[in-house]
Amino acid sequence: METDTITAISTPMGEGAIAIVRLSGPEAVAISDRLFRGKDLNLVDSHTMHYGKIIDPDTGEMAEEVMVSIMRAPKTFTREDIVEINCHGGLVSVNRVLEIVLETGARLAEPGEFTKRAFLNGRIDLSQAEAVMDLIRAKTDRAMNVALKQMDGRLSHLIQDLRQKLLETLAHVEVNIDYPEYDDVEEMSHEMMKEKTDEVHREVTKLLETARQGKILREGLATAIIGRPNVGKSSLMNALVHENKAIVTEIPGTTRDVIEEYVNVRGVPLRLVDTAGIRETEDIVERIGVERSRQVLKEADLILLVLNYGDELTEEDEKLFEAIDDMNVIVIVNKTDLEQRLDIDRVKALTAEHPVITTALIREEGIDQLEHAIADTFFEGELDAGDMTYVSNVRHVQLLKQAKEALEDAQNGMEMGVPLDVVQIDVTRTWEILGEIIGEAVHESLIDQLFSQFCLGK
Ligand code: GDP
Ligand code: ZN
């Protein structure tokens, strides 16, 4: 059990008018009281907020005007005493306050250490802790909702129910073996065991089916805009970025600095792939060649293929159609304001069942329909998609796959008539694997690794 008091700035750097320095641990209130001029913080009620000043203990000078929240254990996020010092004065003042707090006896928290304490003190389970991290990184409201639900314990409850089912069958087999003389306990049969494992198998499979959407919500739908030069790729990208607030992230250290741009299209985060390429050279195909662009396309979840309504279909267009044959494609026929020269029947034939959207980007026409089509490829007609429990975490997906395999081993064993006390081994393994999702019996080094991915101050 950790006993020191940790601190960090818990609001995003450089953003917002208010910044918060958070402390957690047994000395949180005492340390705060030492550098606070106002009420005696040792005496105030829990979960109250107080106006006062932060004093530099070295010089006795007033550093900042603040509001201080006192929250005593155990009804706090970490289940320890928590103090939050609200500073309104930007980066300089909050850093100053943090410095003073550190000088007064708190230790700088490691990334994710607050959440780690919440987990270690039993306040949240591991899948909830991971949801905190997803929440910090969420790029759209919908992604945020998924994270919030997971934090709320939705996935945990589901997993716990499944484990409970398995545990009951295991206990049942145990009783049959240990107390064969108990006539009033029905003998567990292969049929009963199969029924239970089938049930859990179905639920696990269902969860795994949400992984695609979960991954997209988490990482964005990798989207490539392709087409011949001059058809309107840049215009399309600008329209998407303009209509939807773009989030730009630079990833340094890659061979060529890839600039990723996220746009939020009706709750679906699109990650526009290779936008630097489109911006700089105006043409991805010309720049890297058809072969190489095929590779880029393979990594995309969604292809936006742009054609020119005012131009005849070329061999290059046909090649692009070939390259994207079995992919998730939306065909965009742009420049419908021009006189038609494009053979639409030919386009429809090449397009097969992919949606075709017509636009005149220069007049900002057709963007709405395009956004609809994009959202449809994600939700696939599901009405209450916002209410689903998605699995979005790579670790969870991996464990669910393992659980599914273990269940299938059990099912195969039963089919071959293997005795139940042997089948039990696979069922027990399933139970353990599911436990790892919520952090029961997880290895200590894994815990460190997981929490080290967090932002500072969470
Ligand atoms: P890219 O080379 O595929 O990226 O094409 P751009 O987006 O750079 O557009 C090439 C040219 O076509 C620019 O001059 C655009 O203004 C123009 N353009 C884009 N959309 C339309 C449209 O809907 N109608 C017309 N007439 N011109 C357009
Ligand atoms: Zn362009």
Side-chain angles (χ1 to χ4, degrees), residues 230 232-235 278-279 282-283:
N230 229 29
K233 296 182 298 296
S234 302
S235 307
I278 294 177
R279 286 239 160 111
E282 289 292 304
D283 179 30

Side-chain angles (χ1 to χ4, degrees), residues 227-236 238 278 282-283 306 334-338 359-363:
R228 283 191 290 120
N230 229 29
V231 291
K233 296 182 298 296
S234 302
S235 307
L236 174 60
N238 289 338
I278 294 177
E282 289 292 304
D283 179 30
V306 188
N334 187 37
K335 305 200 188 186
T336 52
D337 55 303
L338 299 182
T359 60
L361 291 170
I362 209 160
R363 298 180 183 166

Side-chain angles (χ1 to χ4, degrees), residues 425-436:
I425 296 169
D426 290 321
V427 178
T428 306
R429 195 154 53 90
T430 311
W431 181 78
E432 283 168 357
I433 293 167
L434 291 176
E436 282 186 43

Side-chain angles (χ1 to χ4, degrees), residues 149-379:
K149 272 178 192 141
Q150 188 173 320
M151 202 158 80
D152 197 37
R154 269 234 207 169
L155 180 65
S156 316
H157 288 146
L158 202 68
I159 298 291
Q160 271 157 3
D161 284 350
L162 297 180
R163 292 187 90 216
Q164 185 58 29
K165 276 195 186 115
L166 295 175
L167 198 61
E168 280 163 15
T169 66
L170 289 172
H172 197 148
V173 175
E174 241 5 273
V175 169
N176 287 161
I177 293 167
D178 294 349
Y179 306 98
E181 68 276 15
Y182 274 25
D183 294 335
D184 50 343
V185 178
E186 194 187 349
E187 175 107 27
M188 174 64 107
S189 62
H190 275 72
E191 284 73 49
M192 283 162 67
M193 179 70 121
K194 189 168 171 347
E195 199 180 301
K196 289 287 175 193
T197 48
D198 283 355
E199 218 176 295
V200 176
H201 188 269
R202 258 199 311 280
E203 290 291 327
V204 168
T205 306
K206 230 164 73 185
L207 271 176
L208 277 171
E209 278 164 5
T210 69
R212 189 189 80 93
Q213 280 141 317
K215 177 173 177 282
I216 290 168
L217 286 174
R218 204 182 142 86
E219 295 171 13
L221 191 72
T223 306
I225 301 176
I226 63 167
R228 283 191 290 120
N230 229 29
V231 291
K233 296 182 298 296
S234 302
S235 307
L236 174 60
M237 187 157 73
N238 289 338
L240 288 173
V241 170
H242 180 73
E243 296 262 313
N244 311 282
K245 190 170 166 284
I247 311 154
V248 180
T249 45
E250 284 185 61
I251 307 171
T254 46
T255 43
R256 153 181 72 90
D257 278 5
V258 179
I259 296 180
E260 290 191 335
E261 237 163 319
Y262 286 89
V263 295
N264 175 357
V265 174
R266 292 169 201 259
V268 182
L270 295 198
R271 181 157 52 85
L272 298 172
V273 176
D274 225 349
T275 56
I278 294 177
R279 286 239 160 111
E280 280 162 22
T281 69
E282 289 292 304
D283 179 30
I284 185 173
V285 178
E286 188 182 4
R287 186 170 59 89
I288 59 183
V290 174
E291 278 316 307
R292 172 75 177 83
S293 63
R294 250 171 238 206
Q295 196 50 42
V296 173
L297 296 183
K298 281 267 157 5
E299 284 152 30
D301 301 314
L302 173 65
I303 312 283
L304 303 178
L305 169 60
V306 188
L307 302 171
N308 184 347
Y309 183 78
D311 206 355
E312 275 161 32
L313 213 58
T314 67
E315 200 180 325
E316 209 178 343
D317 290 323
E318 303 239 0
K319 266 196 193 144
L320 284 172
F321 271 110
E322 272 170 41
I324 57 174
D325 192 25
D326 50 356
M327 306 189 66
N328 186 16
V329 182
I330 296 175
V331 177
I332 296 147
V333 176
N334 187 37
K335 305 200 188 186
T336 52
D337 55 303
L338 299 182
E339 196 181 322
Q340 178 176 2
R341 297 184 65 193
L342 190 73
D343 182 349
I344 287 283
D345 288 339
R346 178 71 187 139
V347 169
K348 291 237 163 91
L350 286 167
T351 309
E353 77 281 24
H354 302 305
V356 180
I357 308 289
T358 53
T359 60
L361 291 170
I362 209 160
R363 298 180 183 166
E364 294 176 15
E365 281 170 22
I367 298 164
D368 224 40
Q369 288 88 320
L370 175 61
E371 290 189 1
H372 255 297
I374 292 171
D376 282 349
T377 68
F378 175 76
F379 294 115

